[in-house]
Amino acid sequence: MSNLLERASILLTPTAISAAAIHSIKPNTATGDFSFTRATTATRVNSSGLIEDVAASFPRIDFTDGTGHILMESASTNLEVNSADLSTGWSASTSATASVETGITPFGVSGNIKRVIGATNSPPNWVDNADALKKQYTVSATDPASTFTFSVYVKSAGSTTVNIQLRNNTSGPSTTTGVISLSSDWQRVSVTLAVTTTTTKIGVVIAGTDGDILLSGAQLEAKVFATSLIPTSGSTVTRNKDEAGSSGDSSLMSSTEGTIYAEFAALADEGTTRSISLSDGTQNNRLLFGPHAAAGGCLVNIKTGNVLQVSENVVLSTITDFNKVAIRYKANDVVVFRNGELAASDTSVSLASADTFTSLQFDSGAGFSDFSGKVKCIAVFKEFLDNDELECLTGSGFDSFTALAEANSYTII
């Protein structure tokens, strides 16, 4: 069963991209490719663990977790105006000093970074912050969230730990990272704060606990989690969302019988549905699945003739970890496998008598509930895989890249 992916009619992995396109492995033609748009530049973590810029209209294969995946993000704005060296609006407290110096940045090149000197084991606090670096950001009711996340790359220059506080109106409720252990390598630290309706300012306090720290890549955004770094130099910057078009045609998929599989991870539990789908371009005839608004779930939804046939919320242990989900479908026989186990089944399902699916999409099938997250593999089969095959496909022992290396009936581009 190691070559199950060979049998797929459409196969997408983080293998090949180009300007305005995400290329499928199968079919190795334009029919299998997804169109792609993002009107701004963005960043990714490359296979060496370094941040690098990606030009507008180019998809991103990201290695933040050490393994390549297609990264799809919604739009976000970095409210920190000098992300590299934290040189605007930041102040050091009485017994600490801060300076901008030249060093190796998280991009792996020489550039300006921030050094904070003088920490002597004081926890960060906006009022009593004798050994900290701090900044106050002005925010307004027009910011598109009631939650803000601050993130920064930090490494030790003597201090073994760091602590960051995010404060509501500088004197109101706060959250902290807690004590984070440091090494001589850059690591990203983030802290999230739910703000009040009267919030006009966000306060950030950063402190090492027993020595110097180095900082770079600061970011404050109206999000419940930290998105990829948005570099700034003198003003705020917005990164537009990643948008993918559809792949395939009616010859590569079936609405009467088949299987769809994906290995994906949510970026956060954002309280929204993020979908991958097979459809006829409308929500009337579709099969969709993906991270669901319900905490820790994967929604599986099938409609035929605009009549809901299947609606399941399959529980995932951790929605931000990579999960493998496969849906096998035909009339009166739909099963869902999750991470090697049977998760749901339905024996009372009406499906179309003739094929209606024409596209594989990173949305609901009708242009909304766009997918955002990480994808290692999507596979569409025009056949009804049995339970043993689905258990294998979604199990921990099956690795799509190993299977690709073993397969020889198509070319990896």
Side-chain angles (χ1 to χ4, degrees), residues 226-381:
T227 70
S228 60
L229 178 62
I230 306 170
T232 62
S233 181
S235 63
T236 63
V237 173
T238 297
R239 179 201 61 244
N240 285 13
K241 72 175 181 178
D242 301 294
E243 297 182 83
S246 62
S247 169
D249 58 24
S250 59
S251 70
L252 298 171
M253 59 195 73
S254 171
S255 60
T256 58
E257 178 178 321
T259 305
I260 184 168
Y261 159 80
E263 184 176 2
F264 60 84
L267 298 173
D269 189 358
E270 300 177 79
T272 54
T273 300
R274 306 296 188 183
S275 303
I276 298 167
S277 68
L278 297 172
S279 80
D280 63 354
T282 75
Q283 62 178 337
N284 295 338
N285 298 288
R286 71 180 186 193
L287 184 163
L288 70 78
F289 67 115
H292 186 29
C298 171
L299 175 67
V300 177
N301 180 292
I302 299 176
K303 274 188 174 183
T304 300
N306 204 29
V307 176
L308 185 64
Q309 299 294 330
V310 175
S311 182
E312 296 280 353
N313 185 43
V314 175
V315 174
L316 304 175
S317 57
T318 305
I319 201 169
T320 53
D321 287 344
F322 277 100
N323 290 276
K324 298 177 180 181
V325 177
I327 301 104
R328 180 187 73 198
Y329 58 93
K330 69 177 179 181
N332 299 323
D333 192 349
V334 172
V335 300
V336 182
F337 269 74
R338 168 208 57 212
N339 299 328
E341 297 180 345
L342 176 65
S345 62
D346 194 324
T347 57
S348 179
V349 180
S350 296
L351 297 181
S353 58
D355 284 334
T356 56
F357 291 164
T358 57
S359 65
L360 167 65
Q361 297 172 229
F362 277 103
D363 61 29
S364 66
F368 57 90
S369 296
D370 291 352
F371 180 85
S372 65
K374 310 170 188 177
V375 172
K376 287 185 180 179
C377 185
I378 300 176
V380 176
F381 300 80

Side-chain angles (χ1 to χ4, degrees), residues 23-274:
H23 299 288
S24 291
I25 300 303
K26 292 182 68 178
N28 188 4
T29 66
T31 304
D33 296 342
F34 294 81
S35 62
F36 179 84
T37 60
R38 188 189 59 252
T40 59
T41 60
T43 63
R44 70 162 187 156
V45 174
N46 64 22
S47 58
S48 299
L50 300 174
I51 302 170
E52 66 179 23
D53 292 319
V54 178
S57 84
F58 275 84
R60 289 176 287 171
I61 298 177
D62 186 82
F63 291 82
T64 296
D65 303 316
T67 303
H69 54 264
I70 297 167
L71 176 62
M72 304 285 288
E73 291 184 300
S74 58
S76 190
T77 299
N78 187 358
L79 302 175
E80 166 55 49
V81 297
N82 279 294
S83 61
D85 56 19
L86 294 75
S87 59
T88 300
W90 292 89
S91 61
S93 50
T94 51
S95 63
T97 59
S99 60
V100 175
E101 63 182 55
T102 300
I104 301 300
T105 74
F107 284 80
V109 298
S110 179
N112 287 342
I113 58 177
K114 192 85 161 186
R115 178 183 288 266
V116 181
I117 306 169
T120 57
N121 203 32
S122 293
N125 183 284
W126 190 263
V127 178
D128 180 19
N129 60 345
D131 300 302
L133 183 72
K134 67 179 184 178
K135 181 174 181 177
Q136 190 177 74
Y137 294 88
T138 299
V139 296
S140 73
T142 59
D143 287 312
S146 58
T147 302
F148 287 79
T149 296
F150 176 81
S151 57
V152 67
Y153 284 85
V154 59
K155 69 176 180 177
S156 173
S159 183
T160 58
T161 56
V162 68
N163 197 328
I164 301 175
Q165 181 186 80
L166 197 58
R167 182 169 286 277
N168 196 330
N169 281 332
T170 70
S171 61
S174 65
T175 57
T176 70
T177 59
V179 177
I180 304 295
S181 297
L182 296 179
S183 71
S184 58
D185 296 323
W186 288 111
Q187 65 188 80
R188 199 179 196 195
V189 178
S190 67
V191 59
T192 297
L193 174 69
V195 302
T196 67
T197 56
T198 58
T199 295
T200 59
K201 297 182 184 297
I202 297 288
V204 179
V205 188
I206 307 173
T209 58
D210 54 356
D212 299 357
I213 56 174
L214 298 176
L215 303 168
S216 186
Q219 185 156 299
L220 179 69
E221 52 193 323
K223 290 282 189 181
V224 299
F225 64 102
T227 70
S228 60
L229 178 62
I230 306 170
T232 62
S233 181
S235 63
T236 63
V237 173
T238 297
R239 179 201 61 244
N240 285 13
K241 72 175 181 178
D242 301 294
E243 297 182 83
S246 62
S247 169
D249 58 24
S250 59
S251 70
L252 298 171
M253 59 195 73
S254 171
S255 60
T256 58
E257 178 178 321
T259 305
I260 184 168
Y261 159 80
E263 184 176 2
F264 60 84
L267 298 173
D269 189 358
E270 300 177 79
T272 54
T273 300
R274 306 296 188 183

